[in-house]
Amino acid sequence: MPSACDSPIDDIEDMVSADDPTPQERQYARKSIVPRARKRNTQQTTELIHPLLCSVIPGMQKIWMRTWGCSHNNSDGEYMAGQLAASGYKMTEDPAEADLWLLNSCTVKNPAEDHFRNSIKKAQEQDKKVVVAGCVPQAQPRMDYLKGLSIIGVQQIDRVVEVVDEAVKGHSVRLLGQKKDNGKRLGGARLDLPKIRKNPLIEIISINTGCLNACTYCKTKHARGDLASYPVEELVERARQSFQEGVCEIWLTSEDTGAYGKDIGTDLPTLLWRLVEEIPEGAMLRLGMTNPPYILEHLEEMSKILNHPRVYAFLHVPVQSASDSVLMDMKREYCADDFRRVADFLKDKVPGITIATDIICGFPGETDADFQETCDLVKEYRFPSLFINQFYPRPGTPAAKMTQVPAQVKKQRTKELSTLFHSYNPYHHKIGETQLVLVTEESFDSQYYVAHNKYYEQVLVPKRSEFKGKMIEVEIFEAGKHFLKGRPLDGSEVFTPSIAEPLQQGEVSGLSQVTYSIRLCLCLLCQLLLDL
């Protein structure tokens, strides 16, 4: 497609209350972390107290960060990069020139963890400092290959600067506790932290962390835990700030957006109606993944929201299997007919809606008949967006202890379903249509700009600078399996949805340029003192 453990340091529990300093205050006066460093001598202890006397001054180093996994992980990565840059560290795209690698992991599938583990090994071979984050170390901090490494827990991203400070000095620190206030688990780190958006035009907002399910194959639950939602007002304020920084598209993300608010006495439609009030004309909101059990409660209201002109008519609803027997073994808490009810209702009430879904091939106990039911579902709905996953048993999950489907059978079913998916073109009938599309990024091959229409279908448009971040009208003249191509209409208006000029690539969100400049000057002063 042309587009788009054993550790020398104890875990540190981070209990948050209203009296604790904010992340912004920590940037100016960081709390001292006194870890049990690896066989450090008296001189090393002095370094913690008098950093200007040591050979390494935290905040002067270059950092390369790699993130694997979902949009929630990507949002966490953006926050970590922003805080580090705001403290003087230089984020680099070149791993070779970096002093420290920050590796933000995903635990959904074996290959993702394999890439993560191999990156750690590669960093160590190149004598790079390493800090690890994300769901893998949160769920399994005592894995052998994580020994001696500093870890940032998924709810501790607001303390990334503290951890990196210690790591560059050769110390190992692990922050894995849960955010709590008066004993109640919070949604995670604060939403008003500095961040560097990977795409300055798109803001990713995690509305909650964790979920209410206990799927037998899921390792993410071990890391993200039970549902914890952010208050509506905090999410609305984050969206408002994003638009003031030139963002024209917001993605809502979480492990299950449909469950939002159940722990704090509200629900997803309530949040969405508040958010659409903040969306400027021409800007768009994209909903994240929701599991069938919770969206079933709000179908009527959700159909109204998805019809709103500033909300993409798109919903990602994972079915995983069309066999009720397999769904029961997965503990998915719905049946295939529940999924059909969601899909049929929304397709009827939201004309043209895109329903994206996930399917796992070769789950333990899946028979040929079970798999055929899944194939029949795909033939019935001809999903334009289908994520096909071969089952991988994740350590510590109930599904890993079940009788496994032979590897060759799993591979064959994955191949068969993929062939079925590629046998139809979901977009051919759209050739000749006139559509409004929002242009937000560059295609992978750098030949086009990537836009999305109301149904979040990918539309490739000519790479003209005046289109970036704008809403334009195009005529569809070509349709591929995963994309459409649009020709801008002569004389049509190029509409600017942003209410402010977007931030520059790499610029820190939520931080004034004056403040940023002062911090950079302080870092340069420290370096001059060291040189003297």
Side-chain angles (χ1 to χ4, degrees), residues 64-84:
W64 176 70
M65 184 170 68
R66 172 76 186 273
T67 293
W68 291 266
C70 64
S71 54
H72 194 164
N73 250 25
N74 278 275
S75 176
D76 287 352
E78 291 180 345
Y79 276 123
M80 289 190 284
Q83 293 171 87
L84 290 167

Side-chain angles (χ1 to χ4, degrees), residues 254-356:
S254 76
E255 284 64 60
D256 187 351
T257 58
Y260 170 79
K262 283 186 169 293
D263 57 320
I264 57 173
T266 186
D267 55 39
L268 182 61
T270 299
L271 169 65
L272 295 177
W273 284 124
R274 288 294 312 280
L275 286 174
V276 296
E277 295 175 3
E278 302 294 331
I279 303 174
E281 183 182 356
M284 298 296 289
L285 173 70
R286 191 193 82 173
L287 274 64
M289 186 273 288
T290 177
N291 285 312
Y294 306 110
I295 202 67
L296 274 167
E297 302 175 21
H298 309 297
L299 284 179
E300 187 69 47
E301 205 67 11
M302 288 301 298
S303 67
K304 297 175 184 177
I305 292 166
L306 291 167
N307 274 310
H308 193 284
R310 298 173 194 174
V311 179
Y312 285 118
F314 167 90
L315 199 61
H316 179 192
V317 188
V319 65
Q320 305 299 9
S321 173
S323 164
D324 288 345
S325 174
V326 173
L327 290 173
M328 185 176 297
D329 289 342
M330 291 179 172
K331 293 189 69 173
R332 289 290 287 168
E333 300 182 6
Y334 60 87
C335 62
D337 281 347
D338 289 332
F339 174 84
R340 285 186 170 90
R341 180 183 165 200
V342 171
D344 292 346
F345 185 93
L346 293 178
K347 285 169 73 70
D348 179 57
K349 298 290 186 179
V350 188
I353 187 173
T354 297
I355 301 289

Side-chain angles (χ1 to χ4, degrees), residues 62-65 80-81 84-85 89-93 102 196:
K62 294 180 179 179
I63 297 175
W64 176 70
M65 184 170 68
M80 289 190 284
L84 290 167
Y89 288 100
K90 181 180 178 181
M91 306 304 296
T92 177
E93 297 295 321
L102 174 53
I196 295 178

Side-chain angles (χ1 to χ4, degrees), residues 464-483:
R464 288 160 47 181
S465 58
E466 66 268 27
F467 290 165
K468 191 72 174 290
K470 307 297 195 300
M471 184 166 279
I472 63 175
E473 192 172 16
V474 300
E475 179 186 2
I476 303 302
F477 68 91
E478 184 179 330
K481 176 61 181 177
H482 301 284
F483 65 93

